Amino acid sequence: MVGFKNRYMTLEVILDPNKELAKKDPVIITTYNVTKAIKDSILVNFGECGLASSLGSFQVKYVNEITRLCIIRASREDHQKVWSAITMVRSIADCPVIFNLLDLSGSIRACKTAALKCDELKFEQHKLVVGSILSAQDTQKMQFYLDKIKGLEH
Amino acid sequence: MQRSACIILLLLFLCTLFGIISLCHCYSDSWNSMLLGSSSVSNPVVAPKMRSIRMKRLLQDRHDENHNTEREGQEICNNQNLAGSISETGTAISEARTTNSAGNEQHQIHPTPRSPMGFFDLSVPYTDLPPPDRSTRTKLVTKALELGYSGVAYNRTIKGVMSDRDRCSIPLLTLPSLLKHSPHLTSSVGFHRHLLGVPRATPFRQYTRLTVCAETLAQAQALNSGNPILKTYDLVAVKPMNQFAFDQACEKLEVDIIAIDFSEKLSFRLKQPLVKAAIERKVYFEITYAGLIADVQTRRQIITNAKLLVDWTRGRNIIISSAAPTANEFRGPYDVANLMSLLGLSMERAKAAISRNCRTLISNAVRKKHYYKEAIRVEVLPSGEESDGNKPSSSDSFNWDPISSGEGDLLLDDLAKAFSNSSTKATKMVKAIDFASVIDSMPSLGFQVNDLIAGTNVVVSQPLATQKNIVSAPQLNVQSVATDGVQEQSVLCDTMLERQRFKSENPQKLYSSSDTTKAVNDVIPIEDPSITTRAEPNSPDETDGIATDIHGVQSQKSAIANAVNDVMEIEVPTTTGAEPTNSAESMGITKEIHDVQSLKSVTAKTFKDAMEIEAPTTTGAETKNPDGIDGVTTEILNVSTTNCELNVVPSQVNLTYHALDIGLSVACNPDSEVQVPTNYQDTDIPGPHNEEADSIKNNDIQSDLVDEVLTGKEKKSLPLDSALDKSILEVDELTEPGDDVVVLANQVPVLDSSDEMTATDDYSVANHETAEVIMHEQEHGKADVELSYPALVQSESGKSKAKRKKPHQVTFLPLKRLLHATPFKKARKSKRRHKMA
């Protein structure tokens, strides 16, 4: 039996909730960005030991900058701490952000289905927002991202 | 007479209770527990079995005209309402409630859609500053809406002495202003709500809140319920600044929330006895989370201080809100719940803290604000019509009651359309309206009763109408429709009860009851020409309005009502009356008066249908009906409560009908009893019996009782002491003169399911028993009737007079089983029954 359990969180990043900064896409979300922001938050709130113990299983598995969706893995013991730390993230590279959890699941499979659904819905919203300026490149990228989700493994 | 009077009183109580309860937001656990506890009282309208059972118990208990019944009934109804409203499905509240508990957070972030409660953020800061502040607020609210919250409260803080300038002047935001900020609100809202499990069409509510900083005794004393400035706000919070103020706040001040600023070092201690006292007074403590996110130092303070509070309260009576200065510090509901785990709050309690507790708080507050002495709705809205979109009856029946924030409700029409949920909303609203109509009709019945006493059948229709009007008038917003319904019900109940009492005093109740039943029938869109007009609209409305569960019932009820009408008219005034009452009652119990109304109509109709006896004797019955109707009306109220129980028990529409009928019949019983014996003996007992037997299962039961009573004890057996009892009995009796004996015997056992009555063919024995049973029945209210009715319902076969006895017996037995099976979930009920017995 698998003794070690993880939790997979599907989050969306809301950029600039107060609409203070420039209009479109103040910052591009990347795996690196998000990882750094969260780690900083864990460090500030839970200290060195907290960071160290949660770092073992902590990983940002997937980030989609178009729909601003990300999948983060954490160990089962620490997932609440990590989640709190994520909630308390205030900004990513000078852009105020809000992390909003969409789904929490215990297996990568369930997470994949949820993430696919959310991603598609968010892409629809994105298309609404962007309007007619939707580029083929974006669509292509989306396809790529969706495939990436499907290919996720623990 | 006594009995009728008692019954009437009971009904009134039930109605008021029901109204009150319905008003109250049943979501809170406390409500749930209350409902469970007070099973006896709840309104007979309760459709679900549980409710009916409760109702029965309530009725029984109500025998003493305790006010509890009303409350219980209301609670039950509320339960039902809550359940239904919340989920927009109008499911039984009780069921909904149980399912309301926060889902475990483990792997299920999204709650099971039992009764999705919305999430509220009850502290959006508001200051009097000009526009720049407003845009912040708009952004905040937009963000809240997007993240899936169902409501916010604009918080205004004042220090020092309150003056008249402090009256609420917070402008509520409108949907267009929000859309301006975020044009694609709809999709975002829908997306998030879907993930959270909140129904998409849930209106977004805005409330106003005042936080008073209390330091001195004078400031503290200003926070009493008589302060008119406070009344202009939806919620009132106190922010104690020193130990004295905190003591006062916990023990004496009449506030909704105690908001302590945890971001500063506390200048007083949180003592456990004080905190405990506050919890018992149902005052909520507030924890704000924006400080946790904003600043590191603040974070430290908050966690240190708030942890103390969480320890002392053990997680209960806590609400979480943001108090976010900007939209950056705003977080989604589940994130907030998780943050609270840092304070030692378990996930379940945290989730409850931002949904259920808030909802309870709001419903209580709104109730206080709009209802005078928690019984009379003060607002006046366009009568029962679909109020503007801002006041949807809300997906759940709760909405009407607790948390419609009036104009503040953003219906998100476009969202609604987008989600094609408008129908649901409309339904709800309709429901609300129905309720009003029900109430309207209900009172009219009551009037009818009075009139009936006079012996005029016409009254039935009129009073109903009048009542309706009355009810509708005060109905107010659709939002409050639900609430209105409750209120109305209570009002109706009261009126009904009063009327009943009045009726009961009248020895002639039989006829009047029959008339009433007839009237009821009439009211109900039964074929009966009279009154039915009102009933008709009521019924359909009611069906909608009344808990979803009632829907079916209502329709049935109307049918029953029709049927009942026939029955009644057939001359078995009692039975017919009982029928409609039963139906009405069954209906009413569920939802409040609306239900009752509809039930009656339904039952009446059903009776008609069932009976198909065509009521040859209707004329004869008519005469009786007035009495019966009167009795019925009174009974109806009671019966409704009982009916509700009955309905619940049989879990059949019929049963519900019967419940109503029973109620009606009960009402009629007292009258009918008196008259029934005469009628039966004199008139063609078989005729009415047949009709009644068929349609009015309940009636049968009652009639049986009645019969028994009649036969056995002659008139004297009539437990005319209590109008209700009698009416029930009488109704039964009336319905089945032939089978009276048997019926009664059966009824008695059935009715006395709790009393352990055994169906006996021994009339004499039965009579005596029935007499007692009847007495008990009446007292217990419709519980028995319900029992009997279910049996009757079940045995809805065309029972000829000759065969009446047999069928009755047959019906009773199964009914009995049914009766026994369901209602006695609560020891209380059985105790009551036994007690009664």
Side-chain angles (χ1 to χ4, degrees):
Chain A
M1 291 304 293
V2 183
F4 190 73
K5 301 283 190 179
N6 288 323
R7 290 286 177 265
Y8 296 87
M9 299 180 271
T10 311
L11 306 134
E12 67 163 343
V13 184
I14 301 176
L15 291 177
D16 200 11
N18 232 3
K19 310 277 192 297
E20 292 164 346
L21 304 184
K23 266 307 184 66
K24 304 255 177 200
D25 272 352
V27 65
I28 311 281
I29 306 179
T30 64
T31 321
Y32 175 70
N33 274 354
V34 172
T35 316
K36 182 160 185 317
I38 298 178
K39 278 198 193 154
D40 286 345
S41 173
I42 300 180
L43 181 61
V44 166
N45 293 308
F46 296 103
E48 301 283 349
C49 299
L51 176 62
S53 62
S54 54
L55 211 53
S57 233
F58 171 74
Q59 189 184 358
V60 177
K61 301 224 56 117
Y62 163 86
V63 167
N64 184 340
E65 71 253 7
I66 306 174
T67 61
R68 296 197 275 261
L69 197 83
C70 43
I71 299 181
I72 295 174
R73 181 192 69 189
S75 69
R76 188 176 52 179
E77 298 86 36
D78 296 322
H79 83 278
Q80 277 196 314
K81 274 206 278 185
V82 170
W83 184 10
S84 315
I86 292 175
T87 308
M88 290 197 266
V89 170
R90 290 207 69 197
S91 64
I92 295 181
D94 298 334
C95 170
V97 294
I98 293 183
F99 275 91
N100 186 34
L101 190 98
L102 303 176
D103 184 67
L104 176 70
S105 56
S107 66
I108 190 68
R109 217 180 322 153
C111 178
K112 274 197 275 191
T113 33
L116 271 172
K117 202 161 44 108
C118 291
D119 222 0
E120 277 156 19
L121 286 172
K122 292 214 79 189
F123 189 54
E124 298 302 315
Q125 284 179 30
H126 171 76
K127 284 199 276 194
L128 277 179
V129 171
V130 167
S132 54
I133 323 176
L134 183 65
S135 64
Q137 191 190 15
D138 269 356
T139 331
Q140 215 179 355
K141 264 203 234 167
M142 267 310 293
Q143 205 45 50
F144 165 68
Y145 278 122
L146 289 176
D147 292 336
K148 193 165 167 218
I149 294 184
K150 293 180 193 142
L152 273 181
E153 289 180 1
H154 96 123
Chain B
M1 282 181 70
Q2 299 173 1
R3 225 180 287 168
S4 55
C6 295
I7 296 172
I8 295 172
L9 288 174
L10 284 176
L11 286 178
L12 283 175
F13 278 126
L14 282 174
C15 295
T16 52
L17 283 178
F18 187 80
I20 295 174
I21 294 177
S22 55
L23 293 177
C24 299
H25 180 69
C26 300
Y27 278 115
S28 63
D29 295 335
S30 57
W31 278 113
N32 287 330
S33 54
M34 278 181 61
L35 283 179
L36 294 176
S38 59
S39 56
S40 57
V41 181
S42 51
N43 303 323
V45 181
V46 177
K49 276 194 186 176
M50 280 178 58
R51 278 185 284 186
S52 63
I53 297 175
R54 288 211 204 98
M55 298 303 299
K56 283 199 238 174
R57 290 196 206 141
L58 292 175
L59 289 176
Q60 290 176 345
D61 293 335
R62 199 167 317 194
H63 181 54
D64 313 319
E65 299 178 14
N66 50 12
H67 299 260
N68 298 336
T69 50
E70 273 188 329
R71 252 171 256 119
E72 289 179 323
Q74 290 174 344
E75 290 174 338
I76 297 186
C77 295
N78 288 335
N79 258 345
Q80 299 171 350
N81 293 338
L82 289 174
S85 56
I86 296 185
S87 52
E88 279 189 315
T89 53
T91 54
I93 297 179
S94 53
E95 284 132 22
R97 276 224 234 157
T98 50
T99 56
N100 275 347
S101 57
N104 48 2
E105 81 278 7
Q106 267 311 322
H107 299 262
Q108 306 267 339
I109 268 298
H110 308 300
T112 50
R114 285 175 289 198
S115 43
M117 250 187 269
F119 299 99
F120 298 90
D121 183 5
L122 291 186
S123 174
V124 170
Y126 166 83
T127 64
D128 295 333
L129 298 182
D133 181 48
R134 191 122 12 119
S135 75
T136 313
R137 187 160 70 108
T138 315
K139 288 185 204 160
L140 251 179
V141 175
T142 315
K143 186 57 53 186
L145 185 55
E146 269 180 10
L147 287 175
Y149 283 91
S150 307
V152 292
Y154 302 117
N155 181 22
R156 173 151 177 238
T157 313
I158 61 173
K159 292 183 189 285
V161 182
M162 261 190 281
S163 72
D164 213 43
R165 282 184 300 109
D166 295 327
R167 278 184 191 265
C168 182
S169 60
I170 299 177
L172 299 177
L173 298 177
T174 62
L175 193 55
S177 62
L178 295 187
L179 282 175
K180 195 158 52 102
H181 263 280
S182 164
H184 307 283
L185 199 58
T186 306
S187 57
S188 172
V189 175
F191 171 61
H192 284 106
R193 279 192 174 173
H194 169 71
L195 285 176
L196 290 175
V198 177
R200 287 189 180 194
T202 313
F204 185 74
R205 306 179 184 281
Q206 306 175 59
Y207 305 98
T208 56
R209 172 185 146 176
L210 178 71
T211 302
V212 181
C213 297
E215 273 176 317
T216 67
L217 177 62
Q219 289 172 0
Q221 281 177 345
L223 282 165
N224 55 10
S225 60
N227 194 332
I229 301 170
L230 296 184
K231 288 211 175 84
T232 57
Y233 291 88
D234 290 330
L235 297 164
V236 177
V238 64
K239 188 168 150 194
M241 311 290 267
N242 51 26
Q243 186 70 53
F244 171 74
F246 181 68
D247 293 349
Q248 290 287 316
C250 287
E251 288 175 346
K252 295 209 197 68
L253 298 184
E254 302 196 14
V255 293
D256 301 314
I257 307 169
I258 298 181
I260 308 174
D261 187 10
F262 292 109
S263 53
E264 307 294 332
K265 190 165 179 323
L266 279 187
S267 54
F268 52 88
R269 289 189 191 284
L270 303 168
K271 296 207 192 126
Q272 222 238 357
L274 292 175
V275 170
K276 208 161 151 205
I279 291 181
E280 275 160 23
R281 278 181 55 218
K282 305 233 191 302
V283 179
Y284 285 84
F285 290 94
E286 184 194 41
I287 300 179
T288 60
Y289 67 81
L292 280 176
I293 298 171
D295 186 31
V296 181
Q297 296 298 327
T298 323
R299 209 175 286 169
R300 196 181 296 175
Q301 282 294 333
I302 290 183
I303 295 185
T304 313
N305 297 332
K307 219 172 184 321
L308 284 176
L309 180 71
V310 170
D311 287 343
W312 288 135
T313 63
R314 285 200 272 156
R316 301 166 45 205
N317 276 48
I318 288 185
I319 62 168
I320 305 176
S321 59
S322 76
T326 66
N328 289 339
E329 283 84 27
F330 214 76
R331 291 296 183 269
Y334 283 130
D335 295 318
V336 169
N338 180 252
L339 272 185
M340 290 299 116
S341 68
L342 291 175
L343 299 178
L345 209 55
S346 79
M347 193 62 175
E348 186 188 340
R349 292 221 190 261
K351 280 199 198 148
I354 59 171
S355 60
R356 202 178 329 139
N357 291 358
C358 291
R359 196 179 172 111
T360 314
L361 192 61
I362 290 171
S363 58
N364 287 347
V366 170
R367 182 169 37 93
K368 263 193 276 180
K369 184 178 180 190
H370 293 302
Y371 290 82
Y372 177 66
K373 292 201 190 296
E374 303 193 359
I376 302 172
R377 191 177 174 85
V378 181
E379 296 182 37
V380 177
L381 290 180
S383 63
E385 297 317 308
E386 284 232 355
S387 57
D388 53 286
N390 279 352
K391 302 173 213 209
S393 53
S394 70
S395 50
D396 28 51
S397 48
F398 289 118
N399 285 344
W400 59 258
D401 168 19
I403 60 183
S404 69
S405 63
E407 299 77 26
D409 277 9
L410 298 184
L411 243 206
L412 303 174
D413 286 312
D414 50 342
L415 289 179
K417 287 174 201 146
F419 306 148
S420 339
N421 270 358
S422 44
S423 57
T424 3
K425 278 198 197 171
T427 326
K428 299 218 181 146
M429 299 180 71
V430 173
K431 281 190 198 174
I433 300 175
D434 293 337
F435 186 71
S437 60
V438 173
I439 298 186
D440 287 335
S441 51
M442 281 286 292
S444 51
L445 282 180
F447 289 124
Q448 293 182 346
V449 174
N450 294 328
D451 294 331
L452 290 175
I453 296 178
T456 53
N457 287 348
V458 183
V459 183
V460 176
S461 51
Q462 290 169 0
L464 287 173
T466 50
Q467 288 188 350
K468 272 221 266 206
N469 298 329
I470 296 174
V471 177
S472 47
Q475 280 237 330
L476 312 182
N477 307 328
V478 178
Q479 299 171 329
S480 54
V481 175
T483 50
D484 286 334
V486 174
Q487 287 234 311
E488 293 178 343
Q489 281 195 345
S490 50
V491 174
L492 285 176
C493 292
D494 292 328
T495 51
M496 296 290 294
L497 288 171
E498 290 167 355
R499 303 223 185 81
Q500 289 180 349
R501 270 193 226 101
F502 179 71
K503 271 201 41 148
S504 51
E505 297 166 19
N506 237 345
Q508 315 255 318
K509 305 266 165 67
L510 279 183
Y511 285 98
S512 56
S513 53
S514 54
D515 289 338
T516 18
T517 47
K518 281 202 55 161
V520 177
N521 294 330
D522 296 337
V523 178
I524 310 174
I526 305 168
E527 290 105 322
D528 289 336
S530 55
I531 320 168
T532 49
T533 51
R534 293 245 330 212
E536 292 283 359
N538 287 337
S539 330
D541 294 340
E542 296 178 350
T543 46
D544 291 338
I546 303 183
T548 52
D549 36 49
I550 302 195
H551 286 290
V553 175
Q554 295 189 351
S555 51
Q556 293 179 341
K557 292 185 188 170
S558 51
I560 297 180
N562 292 328
V564 176
N565 287 333
D566 293 335
V567 177
M568 297 194 39
E569 298 173 7
I570 295 181
E571 84 200 53
V572 182
T574 53
T575 47
T576 49
E579 289 295 340
T581 46
N582 293 335
S583 53
E585 292 186 351
S586 50
M587 295 185 39
I589 298 178
T590 45
K591 275 296 177 133
E592 287 153 32
I593 302 188
H594 284 295
D595 298 338
V596 176
Q597 292 288 339
S598 50
L599 287 175
K600 293 189 192 167
S601 53
V602 178
T603 49
K605 288 181 186 172
T606 53
F607 281 116
K608 282 193 176 178
D609 301 336
M611 306 219 353
E612 297 177 353
I613 301 177
E614 64 23 53
T617 55
T618 47
T619 52
E622 305 224 0
T623 53
K624 290 187 195 173
N625 286 337
D627 290 343
I629 296 178
D630 290 336
V632 172
T633 49
T634 54
E635 296 290 345
I636 295 176
L637 289 176
N638 300 331
V639 174
S640 349
T641 50
T642 51
N643 286 337
C644 295
E645 293 185 351
L646 283 180
N647 296 332
V648 174
V649 176
S651 65
Q652 299 175 17
V653 177
N654 290 337
L655 290 175
T656 52
Y657 297 136
H658 290 292
L660 285 179
D661 293 334
I662 296 179
L664 290 174
S665 56
V666 173
C668 299
N669 278 334
D671 302 329
S672 55
E673 274 193 356
V674 175
Q675 302 184 354
V676 170
T678 53
N679 295 334
Y680 283 116
Q681 285 149 21
D682 307 331
T683 58
D684 25 287
I685 297 180
H689 285 298
N690 291 337
E691 295 183 345
E692 297 178 348
D694 299 337
S695 57
I696 311 172
K697 294 224 181 124
N698 299 328
N699 292 332
D700 288 346
I701 298 176
Q702 290 183 347
S703 56
D704 287 340
L705 286 176
V706 177
D707 293 340
E708 290 179 319
V709 175
L710 292 174
T711 55
K713 304 188 180 189
E714 294 299 290
K715 317 322 193 269
K716 86 171 198 174
S717 63
L718 297 176
L720 294 169
D721 314 330
S722 56
L724 290 176
D725 296 346
K726 292 208 172 183
S727 54
I728 299 178
L729 294 172
E730 292 176 344
V731 174
D732 294 333
E733 292 184 320
L734 289 174
T735 49
E736 306 179 307
D739 300 331
D740 289 346
V741 179
V742 179
V743 173
L744 287 175
N746 294 334
Q747 282 187 338
V748 176
V750 174
L751 290 174
D752 288 331
S753 56
S754 58
D755 299 338
E756 302 160 4
M757 301 259 325
T758 54
T760 55
D761 293 344
D762 183 359
Y763 298 149
S764 57
V765 176
N767 289 333
H768 292 286
E769 293 179 347
T770 51
E772 295 174 348
V773 175
I774 297 174
M775 303 288 292
H776 293 300
E777 300 277 340
Q778 295 182 350
E779 298 188 337
H780 292 293
K782 316 348 169 94
D784 292 343
V785 176
E786 295 178 348
L787 291 177
S788 56
Y789 284 111
L792 287 174
V793 178
Q794 296 178 354
S795 59
E796 248 192 74
S797 50
K799 302 164 195 175
S800 58
K801 300 169 206 163
K803 304 175 190 174
R804 222 185 291 199
K805 297 178 191 176
K806 303 297 176 174
H808 289 299
Q809 286 172 346
V810 174
T811 56
F812 279 117
L813 291 178
L815 190 58
K816 224 205 273 195
R817 261 181 266 120
L818 228 162
L819 292 171
H820 290 288
T822 46
F824 306 110
K825 293 206 169 139
K826 293 205 176 258
R828 232 187 288 170
K829 279 192 185 171
S830 44
K831 279 191 220 148
R832 295 207 199 95
R833 295 228 177 122
H834 291 283
K835 180 181 72 171
M836 301 304 298

